[in-house]
């Protein structure tokens, strides 16, 4: 699947906030014709963020794909963004 829109979401201990965010994405893209890829960079979360995102991946629309990149320890917002951008640069296809 070719994605035209990429979102990078740095995340640290966001288990309570992440589901409403993904519901907003799903609501917004429900009528759109494009597929999106959300790159969630888990930055060393110590809560249930990974478990929540795993459940969301099973429930969310097929038009929205989620890629989880994981830092074992918290490296900070800037490093989480850098990890996300590296993924997009290496995986985006302009053709």
């Amino acid at each position: 699947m070719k994605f035209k829109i990429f979102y990078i979401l740095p995340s640290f201990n966001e288990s309570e906030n992440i589901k409403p965010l993904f519901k907003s994405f799903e609501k917004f893209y429900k009528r759109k014709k494009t597929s999106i890829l959300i790159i969630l960079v888990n930055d060393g979360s110590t809560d249930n963020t990974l478990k929540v995102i795993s459940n969301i991946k099973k429930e969310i629309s097929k038009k929205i794909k989620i890629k989880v990149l994981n830092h074992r320890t918290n490296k900070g917002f800037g490093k989480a963004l850098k990890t996300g951008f590296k993924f997009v640069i290496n995986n985006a296809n302009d053709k």
Side-chain angles (χ1 to χ4, degrees), residues 2 9 26 33-35 47-48 52 58-59 77-78 84 86 90:
K2 186 175 178 182
L9 298 178
E26 191 167 41
K33 293 185 180 185
T34 189
S35 295
D47 65 356
N48 290 325
V52 171
K58 296 173 190 172
E59 301 168 359
F77 182 71
K86 278 185 177 180
N90 290 326

Side-chain angles (χ1 to χ4, degrees), residues 42-58:
N42 178 49
D43 194 24
S45 294
T46 57
D47 65 356
N48 290 325
T49 298
L50 287 176
K51 183 177 181 180
V52 171
I53 200 68
S54 177
N55 291 334
I56 291 170
K57 285 173 79 170
K58 296 173 190 172

Side-chain angles (χ1 to χ4, degrees), residues 5-61:
I5 299 174
F6 295 84
Y7 288 95
I8 300 169
L9 298 178
S11 175
F12 177 71
N13 291 342
E14 294 292 341
S15 63
E16 293 183 22
N17 302 316
I18 205 136
K19 191 167 186 170
L21 176 63
F22 277 86
K23 291 294 180 186
S24 295
F25 275 116
E26 191 167 41
K27 184 178 177 182
F28 181 77
Y29 281 98
K30 191 173 190 173
R31 294 187 184 99
K32 307 289 182 197
K33 293 185 180 185
T34 189
S35 295
I36 66 169
L37 178 61
I38 299 172
I39 299 103
L40 183 122
V41 182
N42 178 49
D43 194 24
S45 294
T46 57
D47 65 356
N48 290 325
T49 298
L50 287 176
K51 183 177 181 180
V52 171
I53 200 68
S54 177
N55 291 334
I56 291 170
K57 285 173 79 170
K58 296 173 190 172
E59 301 168 359
I60 204 153
S61 165

Side-chain angles (χ1 to χ4, degrees), residues 50-87:
L50 287 176
K51 183 177 181 180
V52 171
I53 200 68
S54 177
N55 291 334
I56 291 170
K57 285 173 79 170
K58 296 173 190 172
E59 301 168 359
I60 204 153
S61 165
K62 300 290 183 204
K63 290 170 56 174
I64 299 173
K65 297 294 179 197
I66 302 168
K67 173 69 178 170
V68 178
L69 305 175
N70 194 42
H71 291 169
R72 290 180 187 250
T73 60
N74 183 271
K75 298 179 186 251
F77 182 71
K79 183 68 173 174
L81 282 175
K82 187 175 181 178
T83 298
F85 280 115
K86 278 185 177 180
F87 178 85

